[in-house]
Amino acid sequence: RFCDILFLFLHFHEVLMKQLVLGILAHVDAGKTTLAEAILYQCGAIRRVGRVDHGDAHLDTHSLERARGITIFASQAQFHLGDWQVALLDTPGHVDFSAEMERTLWVLDYAILVINGADGVQAHVRTLWKLLRQYGIPVFLFVNKMDQQGTDRAALLAELKDALDGSCVDFTADRSAADIWEDAAVCDEALLEQFLETGELKDETIARQIRGRKLFPCYFGSALKNEGVREILDGLTRYMVQSEYPADFGARVYKIGRDGQGNRLTYLKVTGGSLKVKQIVRGETDGENWEEKADQIRLCSGSSFEAIQEAPAGTVCAVTGLSRTRAGEGLGDE
């Protein structure tokens, strides 16, 4: 009896948590997967930090990725951040696998764009920035490898403002709140008036600016040495806003794959209502309507997964039993 009550409590706790899909993007070798590993470790999702060059990264699970030491396939991990249930999508950084990266943009709520502090804003970073703008995705920036000799924080921030957007603002924890407020305020006229009147900016105000892509918080550190990681996590917790979803079921497919046993997996984000096991899912392929049953719903994390009974709106999951889905299509009301 106690176990049944505990199961129901945990189930409804998961359903009621705020859902978020967070993507990590970067130019190849900027340390994107290293940052992802550090985030998962800091949030207690993994017990040991893996490394790409050691072939034991939690998110680079395919043999090709471990052999080449780069991310080739978009992979997913789950972690808790405050009262958020976060699906973290680690995307390929190499330009040859840009299509795999771009498909994940269909389902992101926020993105972390990782910049190599030793190299600054590279050509592919500019491409990623244009795509993030095109898809309207709010962005936090993490300037990595600041432990390397010759990196200059002020010069890098100036480069971000010049090459990407003038609303890039240094939010690193060693700066005073007043300095951050002042730099954020000058990015928007209404914000500046509010700051001049009150002498401060509320977190909710900053969160709205970030959500509206009028402000881009920048954090500096070294993912390999776990420096600056806690600061960007605190910033995410403080300034992220939950998306609003309609009551009726809808979903967006972003990837089709197979598991080790050959089962076809439809990777999707629930964009309305919820998806339950054995629920009938409706779609349209080549002008023909179809109905199929969702046999299993999986929350994937690296090479493992947890089977769940229900995925609320905002959840990214893999579903078995759907044979006619295609990447990019909408299901249900979507």
Side-chain angles (χ1 to χ4, degrees), residues 14-83:
E14 291 290 334
V15 170
L16 292 173
M17 288 192 76
K18 295 187 290 185
Q19 305 292 322
L20 182 89
V21 186
L22 176 67
I24 298 189
L25 298 86
H27 183 89
V28 68
D29 291 334
K32 170 181 53 59
T33 301
T34 305
L35 177 60
E37 295 281 319
I39 286 174
L40 294 175
Y41 178 76
Q42 282 272 353
C43 295
I46 57 176
R47 295 182 179 180
R48 184 176 63 85
V49 178
R51 287 183 53 167
V52 176
D53 53 346
H54 291 175
D56 61 355
H58 179 72
L59 289 165
D60 285 347
T61 59
H62 198 281
S63 57
L64 286 173
E65 295 176 313
R66 296 195 167 183
R68 296 184 62 176
I70 60 172
T71 301
I72 298 173
F73 306 103
S75 54
Q76 179 181 335
Q78 305 287 332
F79 68 93
H80 290 140
L81 183 61
D83 56 355

Side-chain angles (χ1 to χ4, degrees), residues 45-232:
I46 57 176
R47 295 182 179 180
R48 184 176 63 85
V49 178
R51 287 183 53 167
V52 176
D53 53 346
H54 291 175
D56 61 355
H58 179 72
L59 289 165
D60 285 347
T61 59
H62 198 281
S63 57
L64 286 173
E65 295 176 313
R66 296 195 167 183
R68 296 184 62 176
I70 60 172
T71 301
I72 298 173
F73 306 103
S75 54
Q76 179 181 335
Q78 305 287 332
F79 68 93
H80 290 140
L81 183 61
D83 56 355
W84 295 93
Q85 169 70 36
V86 182
L88 181 69
L89 299 186
D90 182 25
T91 66
H94 199 287
V95 67
D96 289 349
F97 310 112
S98 292
E100 178 80 1
M101 174 276 302
E102 189 169 352
R103 279 191 288 269
T104 66
L105 301 184
W106 300 336
V107 298
L108 297 187
D109 295 307
Y110 287 85
I112 298 175
L113 180 61
V114 184
I115 309 293
N116 187 336
D119 296 327
V121 179
Q122 297 165 285
H124 189 52
V125 171
R126 297 173 187 265
T127 301
L128 292 171
W129 189 259
K130 290 177 182 177
L131 286 169
L132 289 164
R133 181 175 60 214
Q134 176 184 328
Y135 284 88
I137 299 170
V139 183
F140 290 75
L141 294 96
F142 185 80
V143 184
N144 195 25
K145 303 189 179 183
M146 292 301 292
D147 56 320
Q148 294 193 9
Q149 190 172 2
T151 54
D152 186 318
R153 182 164 140 188
L156 285 164
L157 181 64
E159 185 179 0
L160 293 175
K161 287 178 174 289
D162 180 61
L164 301 182
D165 195 289
S167 296
C168 291
V169 172
D170 186 353
F171 269 63
T172 308
D174 61 5
R175 303 191 70 217
S176 70
D179 287 341
I180 294 174
W181 291 335
E182 183 176 353
D183 289 347
V186 297
C187 298
D188 181 82
E189 189 172 335
L191 217 60
L192 182 59
E193 285 186 17
Q194 180 180 334
F195 176 69
L196 291 175
E197 288 177 4
T198 65
E200 64 176 359
L201 294 178
K202 296 185 181 299
D203 286 354
E204 294 82 2
T205 303
I206 293 174
R208 285 197 302 271
Q209 294 295 110
I210 296 169
R211 182 73 179 189
R213 287 184 48 84
K214 296 179 179 179
L215 182 63
F216 304 97
C218 302
Y219 298 84
F220 295 78
S222 169
L224 188 61
K225 294 187 175 180
N226 212 17
E227 297 171 356
V229 179
R230 186 71 257 170
E231 283 84 349
I232 192 170

